[in-house]
Amino acid sequence: MTQFEVHDHDVLAKTRALMSETESPKEWADEVVKAVKRNEEWRGKRCLNLLAPEAPTSPTVRALLSSEIGTRAAEGHIGRVNRWFAGTQHIDEVEALCVELLKIAFRCNYADHRLMGSMLGNLTVYHAFTNPGDTVMTASQPFGGHSSNRDDGPAGFRGLNIIDVPYNPETLEVDLEKFAQVARQHKPKLVVMGMSMTLFPLPVREMSQIVSEWGGKFVFDGAHQAGLIAGKQFQDPLNEGAVVLTGSAGKTFSGPQSGMLMWNNPELTEPLTTAIFPVLVATHQVNRVAALAVSAAEMIEYGEKYMSQIVKNSKALGKALSDRGIRMLGKERGFSETHQVIADVKKFGGGLEVAHRLAEANIVTNKNLIPGDGPEDWDRPSGLRIGTIEITRLGLNETDMETIADFMARVLINGEPTESVGKDVVDFRLPKQDFYYCFDNGYPSWMG
Ligand SMILES: *Cc1c(COP(=O)(O)O)cnc(C)c1O
């Protein structure tokens, strides 16, 4: 019998073999807990986690994720009459705090807290402001775009006609002249800039201005940059012409994995919030909302220094890797103004191969498409994306970036066995287990 299974057949077969050793559901459950524990011991304690879309939460935020309130059902908008269920007064308090804290963190008039992820945030925007058949413009993946704004994601699901935002492959910048020309020709209802590979600010002001000529809207999908924006270390899209800012709370914002939606114009409230409820969410994980509220408070208190150190660490890591002979994108502009640096690792075997080799040495990164890669390179692209969120929250600074670049260069340039490098990585990481820039632990001690 042939079965279609999207997941890796070997991994599932190995799991079935393990499960066949017993018929006890309790033992199957134990296996789940053991795998979670193994991950915690390895990724949580021993690895240098350099995944750009990943962030550690503070102890308080993490504890809230398993709080009792997460077992309660709440749907709809905040308030006695809006809710279908009674008994939600304390849930209302938590959610109202979350909304108000998000507004302060993002310096905006309105915010929504109910989405499970930015994927749904973007679908909210497409649902609220487009109809099937409408044209939108978004960035393609080799320039850093994300599937949520492309044919295979929410934008495609909405039945939209998607045109690429033109990029200059040399400078990695939006080609504004071409953009103006293509946009004026097609008059897209929305231009949505969502960059998963993001090194430098975007020309939000210029693009919004152009789109406004025919009443189109500019939306900034700040999934990655939300924390940087809240911490005032990046451009402020809502102040530069974007009508909506979407964001993932689990990336630079360093909260629980969630979607966030921010806007200023009261006329957008009705279309956006009715797309959220009752279209895209009903019960919305109040434990996650509570955790999001506290992480917003952390951003308000610690965001500026935390995000500023993230950017300093990116610049330092980019330079250190470049100095060691690894080609880094954006070198001429100082490598990065965000939490990411991008390496061209084609000559070391490409992104897939390099990411797995580094993971053997307990350094976790991801393969990435970079300009020059074509559709055929999707699974084996030339780039490697390296993020500094977690290492920054562990209290590391520019000096430590030299050490981390040394570990990476030993694997890539010197071809040292991953086992020996991996041992040194563990020795480096094990003494560093506390997360800073939060009410639990304050600032790293070297900050004084
Ligand atoms: C990660 C990402 C998303 C999706 O965010 P989730 O919170 O994981 O759903 C959307 N847009 C961009 C640009 C992203 O990088």
Side-chain angles (χ1 to χ4, degrees):
M1 189 176 70
T2 54
Q3 284 184 331
F4 179 73
E5 178 66 70
V6 68
H7 306 294
D8 186 285
H9 288 225
D10 293 341
V11 177
L12 290 188
K14 206 173 134 200
T15 301
R16 284 193 297 269
L18 174 76
M19 290 173 70
S20 71
E21 286 170 19
T22 173
E23 287 188 351
S24 155
K26 167 72 170 73
E27 285 182 34
W28 290 334
D30 288 346
E31 288 301 332
V32 176
V33 176
K34 279 193 264 176
V36 168
K37 211 67 208 165
R38 282 194 292 275
N39 196 66
E40 184 176 344
E41 286 300 318
W42 182 48
R43 295 287 306 278
K45 296 184 177 155
R46 288 170 168 74
C47 281
L48 287 171
N49 294 296
L50 306 177
L51 282 182
E54 198 175 80
T57 52
S58 67
T60 300
V61 167
R62 221 171 95 181
L64 283 170
L65 287 173
S66 58
S67 54
E68 175 272 346
I69 210 166
T71 64
R72 302 300 152 202
E75 55 175 46
H77 309 306
I78 297 167
R80 192 182 173 86
V81 180
N82 291 330
R83 306 268 202 203
W84 202 248
F85 311 134
T88 57
Q89 61 267 39
H90 303 305
I91 293 171
D92 281 349
E93 291 162 10
V94 169
E95 290 193 33
L97 280 161
C98 189
V99 168
E100 295 302 330
L101 285 163
L102 285 175
K103 289 189 209 167
I104 296 171
F106 287 99
R107 306 170 294 279
C108 64
N109 295 340
Y110 304 98
D112 205 283
H113 59 295
R114 287 170 290 185
L115 300 159
M116 275 181 60
S118 226
M119 213 70 179
L120 289 179
N122 291 345
L123 187 52
T124 302
V125 166
Y126 290 121
H127 187 280
F129 301 134
T130 66
N131 290 306
D134 284 347
T135 294
V136 299
M137 285 182 81
T138 70
S140 70
Q141 277 97 336
F143 289 107
H146 186 262
S147 56
S148 52
N149 305 309
R150 306 296 289 169
D151 268 330
D152 52 351
F157 177 70
R158 186 65 175 150
L160 301 173
N161 171 34
I162 299 162
I163 296 177
D164 291 357
V165 169
Y167 259 79
N168 179 332
E170 313 271 285
T171 60
L172 282 182
E173 287 176 274
V174 174
D175 185 333
L176 269 180
E177 211 169 299
K178 259 202 200 141
F179 171 75
Q181 189 192 330
V182 176
R184 285 185 180 124
Q185 184 189 340
H186 295 280
K187 300 191 173 38
K189 255 199 178 158
L190 295 179
V191 170
V192 183
M193 289 304 282
M195 311 308 287
S196 303
M197 175 169 73
T198 167
L199 297 176
F200 303 106
L202 296 169
V204 172
R205 219 177 273 285
E206 293 83 348
M207 293 175 86
S208 312
Q209 193 97 49
I210 293 166
V211 179
S212 71
E213 289 171 16
W214 53 90
K217 292 181 170 65
F218 184 95
V219 173
F220 195 94
D221 164 5
H224 268 269
Q225 307 92 341
L228 300 168
I229 293 166
K232 302 184 188 138
Q233 303 302 314
F234 199 66
Q235 64 193 146
D236 190 355
L238 288 177
N239 236 334
E240 296 172 13
V243 296
V244 181
L245 169 65
T246 62
S248 299
K251 298 181 183 176
T252 50
F253 197 75
S254 303
Q257 290 173 347
S258 299
M260 303 179 289
L261 208 63
M262 281 70 65
W263 67 100
N264 281 325
N265 182 346
E267 287 170 17
L268 306 186
T269 301
E270 204 267 341
L272 286 170
T273 53
T274 54
I276 293 170
F277 179 82
V279 180
L280 295 173
V281 285
T283 44
H284 45 248
Q285 306 92 23
V286 189
N287 54 329
R288 180 189 57 70
V289 174
L292 179 59
V294 170
S295 58
E298 290 171 353
M299 264 319 106
I300 296 165
E301 176 72 29
Y302 296 98
E304 281 194 49
K305 281 194 177 143
Y306 176 22
M307 295 298 137
S308 149
Q309 190 58 43
I310 281 180
V311 178
K312 284 181 195 161
N313 284 348
S314 291
K315 287 176 189 291
L317 186 57
K319 176 164 190 316
L321 290 168
S322 173
D323 288 347
R324 284 158 182 76
I326 297 168
R327 192 175 94 81
M328 302 302 295
L329 270 56
K331 181 179 177 185
E332 43 315 306
R333 298 172 69 188
F335 301 100
S336 179
E337 295 291 336
T338 67
H339 60 302
Q340 303 184 359
V341 287
I342 308 289
D344 174 354
V345 293
K346 199 175 181 123
K347 71 171 184 189
F348 304 112
L352 177 71
E353 163 65 28
V354 164
H356 284 281
R357 218 183 308 152
L358 288 170
E360 284 172 19
N362 306 315
I363 299 170
V364 184
T365 58
N366 72 271
K367 64 178 181 182
N368 219 84
L369 288 165
I370 56 176
D373 284 336
E376 67 284 1
D377 302 313
W378 208 264
D379 288 336
R380 290 180 164 69
S382 310
L384 191 75
R385 185 175 58 168
I386 303 158
T388 57
I389 306 174
E390 180 158 326
I391 51 177
T392 304
R393 206 166 205 189
L394 281 170
L396 306 191
N397 59 27
E398 292 94 319
T399 318
D400 301 303
M401 298 306 116
E402 299 281 341
T403 311
I404 292 173
D406 279 334
F407 291 141
M408 297 178 78
R410 282 167 62 190
V411 175
L412 296 190
I413 311 251
N414 310 356
E416 243 186 81
T418 49
E419 207 176 35
S420 62
V421 180
K423 267 203 191 107
D424 293 345
V425 169
V426 172
D427 286 344
F428 175 76
R429 172 68 212 276
L430 268 179
K432 303 172 179 64
Q433 298 293 332
D434 289 329
F435 295 124
Y436 297 95
Y437 309 101
C438 57
F439 301 110
D440 308 84
N441 297 322
Y443 290 106
S445 55
W446 59 264
M447 274 195 159

